[in-house]
């Protein structure tokens, strides 16, 4: 992975802790995770919320069945 070893990752972690503090690390991690998840969802094109009313679909089926 980009030629980074354990020593380099530890140095990066220490720098991040010094800059942001240990209390903000969970907030940064969750924010980064949400950003990555949102990016992946946008690539797949799946809608998170289905806004199609189901009630109207059921009524159309019922009214269509009675008409012959």
């Amino acid at each position: 992975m980009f030629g980074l070893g354990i020593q380099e990752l530890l140095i990066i972690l220490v720098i991040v802790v010094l800059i942001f503090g240990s209390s903000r690390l969970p907030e940064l991690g969750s924010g980064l995770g949400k950003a990555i998840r949102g990016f992946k969802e946008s690539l797949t094109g799946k809608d998170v919320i289905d806004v199609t009313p189901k009630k109207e679909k059921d009524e159309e089926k019922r009214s269509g069945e009675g008409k012959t």
Side-chain angles (χ1 to χ4, degrees), residues 14-65:
V14 169
I15 293 171
V16 169
V17 168
L18 290 174
I19 292 174
F20 296 108
S22 61
S23 63
R24 297 243 358 234
L25 284 181
E27 295 173 17
L28 291 172
S30 73
L32 182 64
K34 288 178 183 177
I36 292 173
R37 190 177 315 120
F39 180 73
K40 285 183 179 180
E41 287 176 359
S42 69
L43 287 179
T44 59
K46 295 180 181 176
D47 292 332
V48 177
I49 300 173
D50 185 17
V51 295
T52 308
K54 294 181 180 178
K55 194 176 219 180
E56 292 178 8
K57 286 183 179 179
D58 292 338
E59 290 175 3
E60 288 176 7
K61 285 182 183 178
R62 289 181 195 146
S63 64
E65 290 175 359

